[in-house]
């Protein structure tokens, strides 16, 4: 049997051009700078504060007498939590001398926003349809989706936290509605505090 | 961050690095060899680049960012430290040891020189 002839590597082939190597090096420097900037965006301290806000909200929601006050409490907690997260990210990036909305900052914001927008829209729909028992699961699931996608531009604990949020949300959708506050406390409270401490200690605040 | 980098890359570098003057459009490996070998290595270039846009970064941050092993990152960081391109601060956060790196003035100017060099190579070969 005759084996097919192997092509002999062309020794006259020119080496990689200096120009290409230089371009590649500059791209590597730019990519590294952009990727490293994402470290400054997610604040562990902010996460802990959001967790504490959630615990207070979960306690208050448990005392609420009716769906309207219950929804109001959680929406107020969500607004306060989002404000806390934004301010803490701004303070952390300012302390590092890095603009909050640089390349990775925009990517983070754009990837987090769609699931949060869907969450806001579904909240209105579910309230109008009288399906508020679906809210805890939906909120956890969509917030988790946003954190997973946005977290791809951040340190490793962030997308992991998002995945756990999604897991809790999915579970909440298939369990008795009465457990809703407990799932909210475990997710928005517990996960935020645990991962907030991890980010705070390992990733600069 | 992007602004800083943009400033670095858009810097008017019409004045070529001395090493590249007189190339006359023929970039050869001789010029490449004149690069700062210390920074040219990928992991070390990554460390210096990341520190250039952050006040300081922890060992864990750098390890996650560069996808390097503990030993690899440690060895490269040590070389940069020995050359006084970076400083290393060891402390305890509670009971957890914490190692933080930051860029020195020398490290920053060497990175700028390296960027100048890369830009000069691109410009010279493009004009050739």
């Amino acid at each position: 049997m005759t084996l097919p002839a192997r092509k002999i590597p062309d020794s006259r082939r020119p080496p990689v051009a200096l120009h290409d190597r230089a371009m590649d090096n500059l791209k590597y420097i730019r990519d590294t700078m952009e990727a490293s900037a994402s470290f400054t965006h997610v604040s562990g301290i902010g996460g802990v504060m959001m967790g504490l806000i959630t615990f207070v909200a979960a306690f208050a929601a448990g005392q609420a007498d009716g769906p309207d006050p219950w929804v109001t409490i959680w929406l107020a907690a969500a607004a306060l939590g989002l404000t806390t997260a934004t301010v803490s990210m701004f303070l952390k990036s300012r302390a590092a001398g890095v603009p909050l909305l640089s390349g990775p900052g925009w990517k983070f914001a754009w990837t987090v926003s769609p699931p949060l927008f869907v969450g806001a829209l579904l909240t209105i729909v579910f309230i109008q349809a009288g399906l508020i028992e679906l809210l805890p699961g939906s909120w956890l699931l969509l917030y988790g989706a946003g954190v997973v996608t946005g977290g791809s531009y951040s340190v490793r604990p962030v997308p992991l936290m998002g995945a756990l949020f999604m897991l809790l949300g999915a579970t909440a959708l298939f369990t008795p509605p009465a457990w809703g506050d407990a799932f909210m406390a475990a997710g928005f409270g517990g996960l935020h505090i645990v991962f907030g401490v991890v980010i705070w200690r390992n990733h600069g605040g | 961050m992007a602004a800083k980098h943009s400033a670095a890359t858009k810097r008017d570098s019409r004045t070529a690095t001395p090493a590249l003057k007189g190339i006359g459009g023929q970039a050869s490996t001789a010029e490449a060899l004149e690069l700062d070998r210390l920074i040219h290595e990928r992991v070390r270039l990554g460390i210096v680049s990341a520190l250039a846009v952050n006040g300081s970064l922890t060992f864990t941050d750098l390890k996650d960012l560069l996808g390097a092993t503990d030993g690899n990152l440690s060895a490269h960081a040590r070389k940069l430290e020995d050359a006084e391109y970076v400083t290393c601060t060891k402390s305890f956060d509670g009971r957890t040891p914490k190692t933080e790196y930051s860029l020195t003035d020398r490290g920053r100017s060497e990175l700028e020189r390296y960027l100048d060099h890369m830009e000069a190579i691109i410009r010279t070969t493009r004009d050739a």
Side-chain angles (χ1 to χ4, degrees):
Chain A
M1 186 178 70
T2 309
L3 290 170
R6 250 180 80 200
K7 190 178 177 183
I8 299 170
D10 184 1
S11 58
R12 291 168 300 174
R13 192 174 55 188
V16 179
L18 267 179
H19 173 275
D20 293 339
R21 283 194 187 182
M23 290 287 282
D24 186 49
N25 282 339
L26 285 181
K27 184 179 180 305
Y28 176 72
I29 291 169
R30 189 187 65 213
D31 290 348
T32 308
M33 285 176 164
E34 284 194 354
S36 72
S38 65
F39 286 122
T40 62
H41 289 152
V42 178
S43 166
I45 298 168
V48 171
M49 289 171 68
M50 287 167 76
L52 294 174
I53 290 168
T54 304
F55 281 142
V56 173
F59 177 77
Q63 312 294 314
D65 52 351
D68 287 349
W70 184 89
V71 169
T72 306
I73 288 166
W74 279 119
L75 290 183
L80 192 58
L82 276 177
T83 307
T84 304
T86 308
V87 170
S88 59
M89 283 194 289
F90 172 75
L91 292 176
K92 189 176 176 182
S93 59
R94 195 179 66 170
V98 178
L100 179 59
L101 291 178
S102 58
W106 276 116
K107 287 178 189 167
F108 184 86
W110 276 112
T111 45
V112 163
S113 300
L116 295 188
F117 173 74
V118 172
L121 204 62
L122 284 182
T123 299
I124 297 168
V125 172
F126 287 163
I127 289 171
Q128 285 179 342
L131 296 170
I132 63 164
E133 67 274 12
L134 293 178
L135 286 175
S138 306
W139 283 339
L140 287 161
L141 201 55
L142 289 164
Y143 181 78
V147 173
V148 167
T149 52
S152 60
Y153 299 103
S154 191
V155 289
R156 210 170 297 163
V158 177
L160 177 62
M161 178 177 78
L164 291 174
F165 262 100
M166 291 182 72
L167 187 66
L168 270 181
T171 311
L173 286 173
F174 296 98
T175 48
W179 297 0
D181 287 336
F183 275 107
M184 290 287 282
F188 289 104
L191 288 179
H192 270 150
I193 289 178
V194 169
F195 281 88
V197 169
V198 170
I199 293 167
W200 182 6
R201 294 186 69 154
N202 297 322
H203 301 287
Chain B
M1 179 285 310
K4 286 184 189 178
H5 177 56
S6 170
T9 53
K10 288 179 182 170
R11 197 171 38 243
D12 184 4
S13 50
R14 284 175 191 166
T15 310
T17 304
L20 291 171
K21 281 184 176 172
I23 290 174
Q26 292 296 316
S28 69
T29 51
E31 286 79 45
L33 293 174
E34 289 184 43
L35 287 170
D36 183 347
R37 284 282 167 202
L38 201 62
I39 284 190
H40 191 56
E41 198 284 327
R42 271 294 159 108
V43 175
R44 294 197 287 269
L45 185 59
I47 294 171
V48 172
S49 302
L51 292 176
V53 289
N54 291 278
S56 63
L57 287 173
T58 64
F59 186 87
T60 315
D61 284 341
L62 286 169
K63 199 177 76 164
D64 286 351
L65 174 68
L66 302 172
T69 61
D70 283 13
N72 196 16
L73 179 62
S74 195
H76 285 299
R78 174 61 65 88
K79 285 188 179 176
L80 290 171
E81 208 184 329
D82 289 346
E84 296 178 352
Y85 284 17
V86 302
T87 53
C88 171
T89 312
K90 290 182 190 291
S91 59
F92 277 89
D93 187 1
R95 289 184 180 178
T96 313
K98 190 177 176 184
T99 306
E100 231 168 343
Y101 293 97
S102 50
L103 198 63
T104 63
D105 290 343
R106 183 177 181 187
R108 191 173 294 278
S109 69
E110 289 302 327
L111 177 62
E112 286 175 1
R113 192 167 154 265
Y114 184 84
L115 284 168
D116 279 345
H117 205 129
M118 290 298 115
E119 288 169 355
I121 288 175
I122 293 167
R123 196 175 50 254
T124 306
T125 50
R126 189 185 52 208
D127 295 344

